[in-house]
Amino acid sequence: MSLAALEHALQLELDALTAEGRAKPAERVIVAYLPPQGDKGPRYKLQGSDQEFIRMNSNSYLSLSNHPELIRAADEATRALGVGPGAVRFIDGTFSYHAALEARVAAFVGKPAAKIFNSAYTANCGLALALSTPKTYWIGDQLNHNSIIRAMRIAGVPSANKAIYRHNDMDDLRKCLTEVPEGMDRVAVIFDGIFSMRGDFAPIDQIAKITSTYQAKFKEGLFTVVDDSHGIGAFGPNGRGTADHTGARPDIIIGTFGKAFGVNGGFIAAGPIVVEAVRQKADTYIYTNPLSVADCAAAGRAIDICDSAEGLERLAHLRRMASRFRRGIESLGWQSIPGPHPIVPLLVRDTPRTHRLVRHLLESSVLAVGLTFPVVPRGDETIRFQINAAHTPADVNYVLKALGPYTT
Ligand SMILES: Cc1ncc(COP(=O)(O)O)c(C=O)c1O
């Protein structure tokens, strides 16, 4: 037996990805975290380099990953119940930390119940598996995250059972709702809360208003699902996410513990019957070991912090730094997308220029990510900067200074 024939075929596929400009670059390896010092926030070291890098591409918006209380919570949980659950949830893999985190996150987002997953990605897949029937129709925003798109495929949703509306276009959403084919009993409108490539948000208040007028048309209801992975913990006056910012109440909330909360894992929050259907029917929940108790304990502690005076102060600082950075890049002549979220895109609109700028930033000890086709449409090539609560005014000034020579 040999893998030679397979490897030859795979190499051709990989070469094609490279030729199309779609291959991911080699992964950089972080080997050290250097705590904040003086007026500087944390720095990171990469394998093979002595430079100390500032991270402008982390989803850890509240900067809690190295918080001593999260580390202590993870450590205590591990000492109490070990490093792994040894089984899936329904075969005695459910530990007190899993149940406690489910109750904690449900209370945080204002829902009666929640189920935790290994990631928001698997939560989206689980939701689609649990709710899809041959008479279920899914309507989604054009810029929804890959995990929602993939979830539809994994759940075997045929093209006749789904529609896409133009990004944040409420007239187009209304049109999709009007055109739901005869015979559909159940309709889900599903969208990202914060769109991760742009940092803009779904107008959930308007979506709720529009959907409510179609509610009575469908035997098994019409409901909204927000995947607020970039919003929960990082957005809204109390860090409750896009619902908090827009003053709306989506029916089902998907989120992650791997971004603002700085840990790992995902969740679905809703009423108890939806959550029980997820527990019974979502394969990505049922047939896989759950998070470690260390992850659960750390995520629970992160929510507690987010809910405290310290959390509110972190959020306020995050907003100030995001606004300082946004104003800064605009005053250098760059275009961004307005809004209060800590994702601050710098629109370069040209692939080679994006690559050059990212390389220049790296040489200046700034880690940032360039987004080019097919991750974003051609012409929307962007450097996605992400501010976090550990960034200081001096850090923001440093990155702006590095960008300085590259004014438009
Ligand atoms: C909208 C959205 N959903 C889901 C995910 C995946 O989150 P996780 O890392 O928890 O799987 C992301 C992260 O990139 C995201 O932006």
Side-chain angles (χ1 to χ4, degrees):
M1 294 288 277
S2 155
L3 287 180
L6 174 66
E7 284 171 351
H8 177 70
L10 289 177
Q11 193 56 57
L12 292 177
E13 289 173 27
L14 294 172
D15 292 346
L17 281 179
T18 306
E20 290 161 20
R22 295 172 57 199
K24 306 264 179 294
E27 291 169 14
R28 302 188 286 237
V29 180
I30 291 181
V31 292
Y33 164 82
L34 310 173
Q37 242 190 348
D39 65 353
K40 288 196 320 197
R43 295 292 186 267
Y44 296 82
K45 285 198 158 189
L46 295 182
Q47 200 167 56
S49 163
D50 276 336
Q51 272 173 273
E52 296 179 3
F53 292 91
I54 177 168
R55 269 189 93 180
M56 296 296 288
N57 57 3
S58 164
N59 296 315
S60 191
Y61 298 114
L62 292 178
S63 196
L64 293 174
S65 305
N66 296 77
H67 195 294
E69 287 184 31
L70 269 69
I71 293 171
R72 192 177 317 118
D75 186 46
E76 281 169 11
T78 303
R79 286 174 198 285
L81 283 171
V83 291
V88 301
R89 291 286 298 266
F90 79 98
I91 306 182
D92 290 329
T94 297
F95 290 11
S96 55
Y97 289 91
H98 299 117
L101 181 59
E102 285 169 350
R104 186 68 189 90
V105 74
F108 183 76
V109 299
K111 292 288 176 197
K115 274 285 133 199
I116 55 173
F117 284 72
N118 290 317
S119 63
Y121 203 110
T122 51
N124 275 320
C125 297
L127 187 80
L129 286 163
L131 300 190
S132 292
T133 63
K135 293 183 176 182
T136 300
Y137 196 75
W138 295 87
I139 302 176
D141 187 286
Q142 171 195 14
L143 295 188
N144 276 350
H145 187 255
N146 172 281
S147 54
I148 297 177
I149 296 161
R150 181 58 63 190
M152 297 296 124
R153 296 186 188 148
I154 286 175
V157 177
S159 51
N161 287 51
K162 57 189 178 196
I164 293 170
Y165 59 93
R166 281 191 299 275
H167 176 52
N168 274 351
D169 183 332
M170 295 298 101
D171 289 335
D172 208 30
L173 168 60
R174 221 177 263 111
K175 184 164 175 282
C176 289
L177 284 162
T178 313
E179 292 174 357
V180 175
E182 280 298 312
M184 293 295 162
D185 288 343
R186 186 182 295 187
V187 177
V189 177
I190 185 165
F191 45 87
D192 289 13
I194 302 293
F195 292 87
S196 55
M197 300 299 144
R198 301 167 49 87
D200 57 348
F201 60 90
I204 311 186
D205 48 343
Q206 293 177 46
I207 294 174
K209 210 162 146 195
I210 292 168
T211 49
S212 68
T213 62
Y214 291 82
Q215 192 89 36
K217 249 182 96 179
F218 306 104
K219 211 162 81 189
E220 296 180 5
L222 163 63
F223 53 93
T224 53
V225 183
V226 61
D227 172 352
D228 209 11
S229 289
H230 286 272
I232 305 276
F235 198 55
N238 303 295
R240 258 62 173 177
T242 311
D244 195 15
H245 183 79
T246 56
R249 288 187 59 77
D251 298 307
I252 299 177
I253 299 177
I254 312 270
T256 182
F257 302 112
K259 301 195 193 293
F261 297 135
V263 191
N264 242 331
F267 67 87
I268 296 174
I273 296 179
V274 169
V275 169
E276 178 60 7
V278 164
R279 190 176 81 82
Q280 298 291 347
K281 297 177 65 187
D283 297 23
T284 52
Y285 172 85
I286 300 170
Y287 299 106
T288 181
N289 274 15
L291 294 175
S292 70
V293 291
D295 281 334
C296 295
R301 195 65 204 101
I303 297 175
D304 290 344
I305 290 173
C306 186
D307 232 357
S308 69
E310 177 186 341
L312 288 177
E313 177 43 38
R314 280 176 183 259
L315 255 184
H317 178 72
L318 180 63
R319 264 185 233 116
R320 283 194 297 270
M321 291 304 100
S323 154
R324 183 187 185 101
F325 187 66
R326 222 180 218 104
R327 277 187 277 116
I329 61 171
E330 281 166 1
S331 69
L332 289 172
W334 291 102
Q335 198 189 350
S336 187
I337 295 172
H341 193 270
I343 292 174
V344 184
L346 181 152
L347 299 170
V348 186
R349 301 197 183 285
D350 176 78
T351 297
R353 199 153 182 237
T354 302
H355 291 321
R356 273 202 308 277
L357 193 42
V358 168
R359 220 170 20 247
H360 163 74
L361 288 168
L362 190 69
E363 282 158 12
S364 312
S365 303
V366 178
L367 297 180
V369 64
L371 305 171
T372 54
F373 181 80
V375 177
V376 292
R378 288 189 207 284
D380 279 357
E381 294 84 353
T382 296
I383 296 184
R384 182 178 69 170
F385 290 102
Q386 288 165 289
I387 303 295
N388 69 63
H391 286 146
T392 65
D395 290 340
V396 169
N397 293 349
Y398 177 82
V399 179
L400 291 172
K401 195 163 167 214
L403 278 169
Y406 274 77
T407 47
T408 52

